[in-house]
Amino acid sequence: MDSRYLIVDKKILPEYFEKVVEASRLLAEGEAPDISEAVRKVEISRSTYYKYKDYVMELSAKKTSKRAIISMQLRHETGVLEKLIRVIASHSYSIWTINQSPPVNNIATIMIALNMDDATCGLEQLILDMRETEGIKKANLIGVE
């Protein structure tokens, strides 16, 4: 496996991972003045917070992430790319780049980088909406920065 990341349902993870994410949110939104207060509020140790804070984050448009890279396969038909752009715009993501390979067997592969600053939904919902769009064969999250 080449990827450094896995998308895992939080139901199978220890509860303290979610608490690390909550502590980070408290700090980012000013609801806790410092790390000591944030970890006290979510009931984890400072060492647990420091151990995982750079590795556990919510897959959401409103958190610390600023850019998402998504790979897609689209049917090579008039209007499919326009439908994709409309889905992206409907959730207030903005497009940084689009790279498209020449179509092979009437399927074009697209890599798209999205700015998530003003997004109105999480990446999970965006990708589900992409997959439900006529002409889009696949949509997979490659990474988040």
Side-chain angles (χ1 to χ4, degrees):
M1 187 179 340
D2 295 335
S3 176
R4 290 182 20 194
Y5 302 100
L6 299 172
I7 297 177
V8 179
D9 191 316
K10 67 183 176 182
K11 289 186 271 186
I12 68 167
L13 296 174
E15 183 181 351
Y16 57 82
F17 285 144
E18 236 178 317
K19 291 182 175 190
V20 168
V21 171
E22 179 63 13
S24 294
R25 185 195 65 75
L26 292 172
L27 288 165
E29 295 180 3
E31 293 180 33
D34 55 35
I35 291 170
S36 294
E37 180 66 16
V39 299
R40 186 190 64 72
K41 283 184 174 185
V42 299
E43 300 176 334
I44 58 173
S45 67
R46 286 173 55 96
S47 64
T48 297
Y49 177 77
Y50 280 115
K51 183 175 183 178
Y52 298 110
K53 72 177 181 67
D54 294 326
Y55 302 103
V56 179
M57 63 195 76
E58 193 170 46
L59 186 58
S60 169
K62 295 296 182 186
K63 299 299 176 197
T64 58
S65 300
K66 298 291 183 201
R67 182 172 52 172
I69 311 296
I70 300 173
S71 171
M72 288 163 276
Q73 290 185 345
L74 280 60
R75 284 197 314 246
H76 183 61
E77 296 174 357
T78 302
V80 174
L81 184 58
E82 179 184 358
K83 289 177 191 175
L84 171 64
I85 292 170
R86 286 180 193 266
V87 168
I88 293 166
S90 73
H91 296 303
S92 299
Y93 284 80
S94 60
I95 298 170
W96 279 0
T97 62
I98 297 177
N99 296 308
Q100 179 177 338
S101 67
V104 175
N105 295 326
N106 216 28
I107 299 290
T109 300
I110 294 196
M111 294 287 284
I112 191 163
L114 300 174
N115 179 324
M116 304 187 314
D117 288 342
D118 298 319
T120 58
C121 76
L123 284 169
E124 298 96 340
Q125 185 61 52
L126 176 67
I127 291 170
L128 285 173
D129 290 350
M130 288 174 169
R131 289 177 180 161
E132 292 176 358
T133 301
E134 186 179 344
I136 298 177
K137 306 295 272 176
K138 290 184 181 179
N140 296 306
L141 180 66
I142 299 299
V144 178
E145 296 182 308

